[in-house]
Amino acid sequence: EVQLVESGGGLVQPGGSLRLSCAASGFTVSSNYMSWVRQAPGKGLEWVSVIYSGGSTYYADSVKGRFTISRHNSKNTLYLQMNSLRAEDTAVYYCACTTSGAFDIWGQGTMVTVSS
Amino acid sequence: QSALTQPPSASGSPGQSVTISCTGTSSDVGGYNYVSWYQQHPGKAPKLMIYEVSKRPSGVPDRFSGSKSGNTASLTVSGLQAEDEADYYCSSYAGRPYVFGTGTKVTVL
């Protein structure tokens, strides 16, 4: 079964750091484009970052310089390292497999709350 | 990175059709045939309904259809059913590389 399972969310103080993980099963992370998408409480979807199969990475302006996307091929896992967190980063974070310009496989999401 | 523009809400009675628009620019919607649509029920992850403007993934009913004209894409849900009540988001490859729409809440009356 094709599946993505996120973990690592939680409560963190402003300025703090958190690393999210996304474990894949049924397909290979390194052979696909993989993205992070977030959704603030009561708000819409916001694309955050993507890592292409070749290793190129891209970020939304709102997180550039603070977030880093990466993957561990042997663990078949995607990561999002989040530093210098702000209140506006509070959201449910989803990982998604990206094929033909679309997000076709989604995880269940992990909640990140940035608050003192 | 401005979001694509969608109407906040749309509604229809069971059996009727509803169409949602998604307006961008020549740098996103108008520039690529990589427009996709997502359905999201409360508390759930989004689900891909349409990709590459008008293609349906396996398992998505043919009541859902997509199209594009210039910088505006559209999603039409025909034969509305109660389970179609949800939030819908469009997305486009934008070279930046991706952008989502503002979202539309569809209500089945």
Side-chain angles (χ1 to χ4, degrees):
Chain A
E1 180 190 7
V2 171
Q3 193 175 11
L4 291 169
V5 178
E6 300 97 335
S7 60
L11 174 64
V12 62
Q13 293 187 337
S17 298
L18 211 56
R19 188 179 81 157
L20 306 183
S21 300
C22 171
S25 56
F27 71 100
T28 303
V29 164
S30 61
S31 299
N32 289 274
Y33 294 2
M34 297 294 299
S35 295
W36 287 96
V37 175
R38 68 184 180 183
Q39 186 170 35
K43 302 297 184 182
L45 300 173
E46 179 188 15
W47 172 76
V48 173
S49 181
V50 65
I51 183 167
Y52 288 165
S53 52
S56 298
T57 59
Y58 298 89
Y59 301 90
D61 289 345
S62 57
V63 307
K64 199 172 297 182
R66 301 187 300 122
F67 289 12
T68 302
I69 190 172
S70 63
R71 66 191 181 207
H72 194 299
N73 294 347
S74 62
K75 293 185 178 180
N76 207 29
T77 299
L78 178 74
Y79 301 101
L80 186 67
Q81 177 67 44
M82 304 185 295
N83 299 330
S84 303
L85 282 162
R86 306 166 180 168
E88 53 265 36
D89 295 319
T90 295
V92 174
Y93 284 74
Y94 297 99
C95 62
C97 182
T98 310
T99 305
S100 296
F103 306 93
D104 56 352
I105 305 168
W106 295 72
Q108 85 288 352
T110 187
M111 183 70 202
V112 173
T113 302
V114 184
S115 175
S116 55
Chain B
Q1 292 177 330
S2 299
L4 307 176
T5 301
Q6 297 180 233
S9 62
S11 62
S13 300
Q16 290 187 330
S17 295
V18 64
T19 297
I20 304 166
S21 62
C22 170
T23 302
T25 69
S26 57
S27 296
D28 38 63
V29 174
Y32 305 92
N33 285 324
Y34 287 121
V35 176
S36 50
W37 290 90
Y38 304 85
Q39 178 191 65
Q40 187 180 36
H41 289 110
K44 300 295 186 181
K47 174 186 176 183
L48 177 65
M49 305 302 284
I50 296 287
Y51 68 101
E52 290 183 9
V53 177
S54 59
K55 298 179 180 178
R56 277 187 312 277
S58 174
V60 173
D62 59 7
R63 302 185 293 103
F64 292 85
S65 62
S67 63
K68 188 184 85 166
S69 177
N71 296 337
T72 299
S74 298
L75 173 73
T76 297
V77 185
S78 306
L80 268 174
Q81 299 182 5
E83 60 262 35
D84 299 333
E85 184 162 297
D87 293 327
Y88 291 82
Y89 295 90
C90 62
S91 178
S92 174
Y93 177 77
R96 313 182 275 241
Y98 301 98
V99 61
F100 280 97
T102 50
T104 299
K105 181 175 180 56
V106 169
T107 301
V108 180
L109 301 171

